[in-house]
Amino acid sequence: MGINIKKLGVLTSGGDSPGMNAAIRAVVRTALYNNVEVFGIHRGYQGMIEGDIDKMQTTDVSNIIQRGGTILKTARSQEFMTDEGMAKAYAQLKKHDIEGLVLIGGDGTFRGAVHFFEKYNIPATGVPGTIDKDLSGTDTTIGFDTATNTAVEAIDKIRDTAEAHDRLFVVEVMGRDAGFIALHSGIACGAEDILIPEQKTNIDDVLNRIDKDEHRKKQVHIIVVSEHDDFGGGNMVFQVIKDRFPVLDTRLCILGHIQRGGSPSCADRVLASRLGHAAVIALLQGKTQVMAGVINGEVVFTPFSKVVKSEPPIGADMLEMIRVLSS
Ligand code: F6P
């Protein structure tokens, strides 16, 4: 293959996502198959700084493909953002003779990587692991499918009880500043309204639609709100509705971290296996500072500097469609 890497480090960083274990498994097994030793770096960049690093065998990744979370644990390291933190991390890589890295994570992981690799030239490839689906260079990210299905299952259940009591529900979902979880789960559950960060929330429109539904005796109304819509998330939307329609029986449900856990879906396991494998092969072929992603069914590689947040392509056409389908 391209370059001679004998020892490779793998870490998971940022918010965990279902399927990270499947990606770790693919990285470890692909490396060992190619006679490369693998070192698991625990707790992301923080563990790299602290030298929390262990050699991994093929049996270390047995029976994990179906498990949520990450066996390597994860962290969001502030220290890694400093020159001193990066110097300590580099010293630990040298100490363990680690010559290449596979980074599994989201936006913050690749942002950190860009600075680190500008200073210290360690070959590295990446795998997109985040429930938010907020990275360029891939059509989807590991964990998004599972998290969205978790949200769908929960909202379906909420609709049952909403229907039984003729209630209005505001359901807040995760996604940081990306509205994909809200959009997909909202469409799949037939939500009456979906509020996402990519579009300014017009609260008067929301209230008018509730008013209209009231007049035509449509009694169940579910509003899916992304946690960082510009109006202030589920809490704010709930308060305004309660104030304006005191007679309506309105409830708020914040789904929260339940969306991050659980056994990964088949789609996430396959995606994680494919990208974990591709990231190792790419590294051994001499590719570096690139993330493996899937676009139109094909594995592609995009520089770390380009995968970190661009304007997410959530189209107005999708939102218009929601209006029509929920009318
Ligand atoms: O990035 C994944 C994510 O779950 C976001 O959707 C959410 O805003 C954030 O992480 C929550 O982070 P934490 O678990 O650190 O509170």
Side-chain angles (χ1 to χ4, degrees), residues 24-148:
I24 295 169
R25 172 179 178 270
V27 169
V28 170
R29 296 231 163 127
T30 306
L32 295 177
Y33 183 86
N34 285 283
N35 301 314
V36 176
E37 284 181 50
V38 191
F39 289 80
I41 302 169
H42 301 264
R43 295 180 291 113
Y45 293 127
Q46 194 57 38
M48 201 196 280
I49 290 170
E50 292 168 20
D52 191 356
I53 299 171
D54 283 321
K55 191 167 168 183
M56 294 182 85
Q57 311 292 350
T58 190
T59 47
D60 292 326
V61 292
S62 299
N63 202 18
I64 65 166
I65 196 168
Q66 76 283 19
R67 282 167 53 194
T70 156
I71 58 161
L72 289 177
K73 297 191 181 286
T74 185
R76 300 187 203 274
S77 172
Q78 290 307 317
E79 195 181 351
F80 188 71
M81 299 301 149
T82 65
D83 287 348
E84 300 75 48
M86 286 192 199
K88 283 187 199 163
Y90 181 70
Q92 287 295 343
L93 295 182
K94 285 274 132 203
K95 187 174 157 196
H96 290 83
D97 294 323
I98 293 173
E99 299 156 321
L101 289 171
V102 177
L103 312 168
I104 305 169
D107 182 55
T109 306
F110 297 116
R111 217 177 274 284
V114 169
H115 296 307
F116 185 63
F117 299 109
E118 269 166 14
K119 276 176 93 88
Y120 305 101
N121 196 17
I122 292 258
T125 56
V127 176
T130 167
I131 64 166
D132 297 340
K133 198 167 95 77
D134 59 349
L135 294 171
S136 303
T138 189
D139 286 342
T140 191
T141 55
I142 297 162
F144 173 74
D145 184 67
T146 308
T148 309

Side-chain angles (χ1 to χ4, degrees), residues 14-16 76 130-132 134 174-177 181 227-228 257 260:
D16 62 313
R76 300 187 203 274
T130 167
I131 64 166
D132 297 340
D134 59 349
M174 273 188 169
R176 208 167 28 164
D177 35 18
I181 298 177
E227 59 181 338
H228 291 149
H257 287 81
R260 284 239 296 260

Side-chain angles (χ1 to χ4, degrees), residues 1-2 23 39 52 115 156 164 181 187 221 237 251 273 286 305:
M1 293 212 187
F39 289 80
D52 191 356
H115 296 307
D156 282 348
I181 298 177
I187 291 172
H221 198 106
V237 174
R251 293 287 193 278
S273 301
S305 57

Side-chain angles (χ1 to χ4, degrees), residues 201-211 231 240 244:
T201 293
N202 185 333
I203 200 69
D204 291 330
D205 274 0
V206 174
L207 297 173
N208 288 340
R209 274 193 289 278
I210 296 172
D211 203 28
F231 195 71
V240 170
R244 167 74 189 277

Side-chain angles (χ1 to χ4, degrees), residues 163-177:
E163 192 100 42
H165 286 265
D166 290 336
R167 279 178 175 160
L168 186 153
F169 265 87
V170 174
V171 183
E172 184 187 280
V173 297
M174 273 188 169
R176 208 167 28 164
D177 35 18

